[in-house]
Amino acid sequence: MARGAFIVLEGLDRSGKSTQVAKLVDRLNQTGHKARLQKFPDRTTAIGKMIDAYLQSQAELDDRAIHLLFSANRWECAEAIKRDLANGMTIVADRYAFSGIAFSAAKGLPFTFCLNPDAGLPLPDLTLYLTVPPEVASTRGAYGVERYENLDMQTRTREQFAAVAREVQARHGEDRWVQVSAVGTIDEVEARIWELVDGALRRVDETRVGELWL
Ligand code: Z5A
Ligand code: MG
């Protein structure tokens, strides 16, 4: 049996990740694949509840401590991701380790410190980075009340995502990280994503799941 594909959607605020992840999982399941959604942070676990309290400013945590909690939240899901991939299930993740690095590095933590705790996690077969100019994002509603939802933090995070993209492509190959314009209607963006995912699904059969940064 062919293994499933591990596909990640990344991007700044309101680039449409959650919208597109839901559509992609539906479309995969309708076209004869088995697929499920994996959201990061997963706010349902004990660690996820600490992260949720932090994001809602109900708890204060040291920058390094919260960074490690985001990573631990991925590690507690890693075995299930690997098992499901091996059983032929395609996983579509709404954010992953790349958000972890970009947001923490944007706060000023050293890039290598941000990268290291995730080394060895399941390596996505394809990461789609949804890009949307700030002026388009601002038409999709005002910034919310959560931490990081402000223009200054988003600008610095955008710069760090560019460094993350270079790192992924240098270590794991150019085709693992693909930038996708999220400008246009939801259906137009969905069509762009589907074309790229369709190509990735054809490629995964022969390869085992890799390890991030290793
Ligand atoms: N974080 C971190 O620091 N470290 C980590 O390791 C991880 C995360 C994993 C919470 O993430 C925060 O955690 C986040 C990063 C940090 N902080 N920030 N900022 P989250 O994933 O829970 O955040 P979110 O609030 O769910 O996602 P989002 O970025 O704000 O939105 P989105 O998922 O990209 O967009 P959306 O919800 O699909 O769409 C937004 C709106 O636009 C909605 O009304 C849609 O109907 C509309 N939309 C979507 N597409 C379109 C198009 N094409 N046209 C017009 N309107 C559209
Ligand atoms: Mg979202």
Side-chain angles (χ1 to χ4, degrees), residues 11-20 39-41 43 51 55 67 70-71 74 94-97 99-101 103-104 130 140 146-149 154 182-187 189:
L12 293 179
D13 262 29
R14 283 172 286 142
S15 52
K17 298 176 295 298
S18 299
T19 304
Q20 294 297 335
K39 187 161 171 53
F40 289 112
R43 303 190 195 212
I51 293 171
L55 287 172
H67 181 76
F70 273 113
S71 179
R74 287 183 279 279
D94 187 350
R95 297 191 189 270
Y96 196 48
S99 277
I101 300 165
F103 278 85
S104 291
L130 302 190
R140 295 181 182 175
E146 286 207 333
R147 217 181 274 263
Y148 308 151
E149 291 184 339
Q154 293 295 319
V183 178
T185 66
I186 290 173
D187 288 350
V189 180

Side-chain angles (χ1 to χ4, degrees), residues 136-173:
V136 175
S138 65
T139 66
R140 295 181 182 175
Y143 282 115
V145 292
E146 286 207 333
R147 217 181 274 263
Y148 308 151
E149 291 184 339
N150 62 74
L151 192 56
D152 179 46
M153 185 63 181
Q154 293 295 319
T155 304
R156 279 182 286 133
T157 307
R158 182 189 300 266
E159 287 162 14
Q160 293 300 331
F161 264 124
V164 171
R166 287 193 292 276
E167 205 69 33
V168 171
Q169 292 183 325
R171 295 192 192 213
H172 299 299

Side-chain angles (χ1 to χ4, degrees), residues 5-9 17 20-26 28-29 34-40 81 85 89-95 126 128 193 197 201:
F6 184 19
I7 293 158
V8 171
L9 265 68
K17 298 176 295 298
Q20 294 297 335
V21 161
K23 290 183 89 69
L24 180 55
V25 169
D26 283 350
L28 285 163
N29 282 313
K34 280 190 295 174
R36 74 164 170 93
L37 164 67
Q38 172 70 62
K39 187 161 171 53
F40 289 112
I81 290 175
L85 290 172
M89 171 89 71
T90 284
I91 311 254
V92 183
D94 187 350
R95 297 191 189 270
L126 178 64
L128 298 174
I193 290 175
V197 167
L201 291 172

